[in-house]
């Protein structure tokens, strides 16, 4: 483990980079003209390799993490978020719990999110559950409702993905509230995210809580959202909910 600097992290990532992967990443993460991640820059680092680099620098200071988040290079921002999560998880262990640090890390994350530095679906999905959801578990969740009302796609996605932390503790209430709030979101990435979280309520809490929600809202759900939500239901149930579309 190394404290290091942002430049040290960048150098370590450069050692793992493979330019042959760049075209695939550009297509996969939609960084072309007019796409949701237009202008994002890649150097071709695999996620498992990035996680290994992040673990080496898991005590990196917030000042240095901020420098990584300000980079135009996707893998630099990704590594910064992995490091933030590692620091947060360490501060959340019973033996090393530090509530002040947990709060600082969560606040730092929200500020980065609001200034557009957590700006692709994989970055949100790797971080929001921990740095938003876990932290807000026993606190007011109003922030999530505020983010879900944002005009910014990534803030809305962070809001719903954060509820994964609640779902894992058998609490689907905020997921269902936000799903209703986001029911008519125009972005396919949001349809997928909301559907995914709804599906998880059925898997991790009970199918009953999911089907109760679907009975009320399936007819008005975007097709992608509904498809994700009902993925693990029986064939008969899937056919039934698809038939409710209006």
């Amino acid at each position: 483990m190394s404290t290091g600097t942002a430049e040290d992290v960048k150098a370590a990532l450069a050692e793992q980079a493979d330019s042959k992967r760049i075209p695939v990443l550009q297509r996969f993460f939609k960084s072309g003209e007019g796409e949701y991640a237009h202008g994002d820059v890649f150097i071709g680092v695999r996620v498992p390799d990035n996680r290994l680099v992040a673990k080496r620098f898991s005590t990196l200071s917030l000042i240095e993490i901020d420098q990584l988040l300000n980079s135009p290079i996707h893998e630099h921002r990704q590594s910064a978020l992995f490091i933030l999560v590692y620091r947060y998880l360490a501060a959340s262990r019973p033996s090393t719990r530090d509530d002040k640090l947990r709060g600082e890390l969560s606040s730092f994350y929200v500020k980065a999110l609001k200034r557009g530095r957590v700006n692709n679906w994989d970055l949100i999905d790797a971080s929001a559950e921990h740095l938003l959801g876990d932290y807000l578990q026993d606190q007011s969740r109003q922030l999530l409702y505020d983010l879900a009302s944002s005009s910014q796609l990534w803030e809305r996605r962070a809001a719903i993905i954060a509820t994964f932390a609640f779902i894992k503790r058998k609490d689907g209430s905020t997921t269902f509230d936000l799903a209703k709030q986001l029911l008519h979101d125009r972005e396919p990435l949001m349809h997928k995210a909301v559907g995914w979280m709804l599906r998880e309520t059925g898997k991790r809490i009970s199918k009953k809580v999911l089907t109760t929600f679907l009975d009320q809202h399936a007819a008005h759900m975007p097709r992608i959202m509904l498809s994700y939500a009902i993925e693990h239901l029986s064939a008969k149930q899937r056919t039934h909910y698809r038939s409710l579309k209006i």
Side-chain angles (χ1 to χ4, degrees), residues 50-122:
N50 201 328
R51 287 190 179 278
L52 288 175
V53 169
K55 284 182 179 179
R56 284 172 50 194
F57 295 94
S58 61
T59 58
L60 197 69
S61 72
L62 292 183
I63 292 175
E64 300 297 326
I65 291 173
D66 207 38
Q67 290 188 36
L68 290 174
L69 285 171
N70 286 332
S71 171
I73 294 174
H74 185 97
E75 291 92 340
H76 292 173
R77 302 193 306 282
Q78 184 179 63
S79 199
L81 293 165
F82 287 159
I83 293 168
L84 270 180
V85 170
Y86 290 142
R87 289 198 63 184
Y88 180 85
L89 293 176
S92 300
R93 296 190 194 107
S95 59
T96 55
R97 189 175 179 91
D98 185 335
D99 286 331
K100 180 181 178 181
L101 179 57
R102 291 171 75 246
E104 289 174 355
L105 294 171
S106 182
S107 177
F108 177 89
Y109 175 74
V110 172
K111 290 176 182 177
L113 175 66
K114 288 189 173 183
R115 62 188 175 88
R117 305 318 300 159
V118 192
N119 54 353
N120 213 317
W121 62 263
D122 64 315

Side-chain angles (χ1 to χ4, degrees), residues 12-31:
L13 290 171
E15 292 177 359
Q16 302 298 325
D18 182 351
S19 61
K20 294 178 181 177
R21 298 192 188 104
I22 295 175
V24 175
L25 292 170
Q26 289 173 329
R27 289 193 298 272
F28 188 67
F29 288 109
K30 308 296 183 184
S31 63

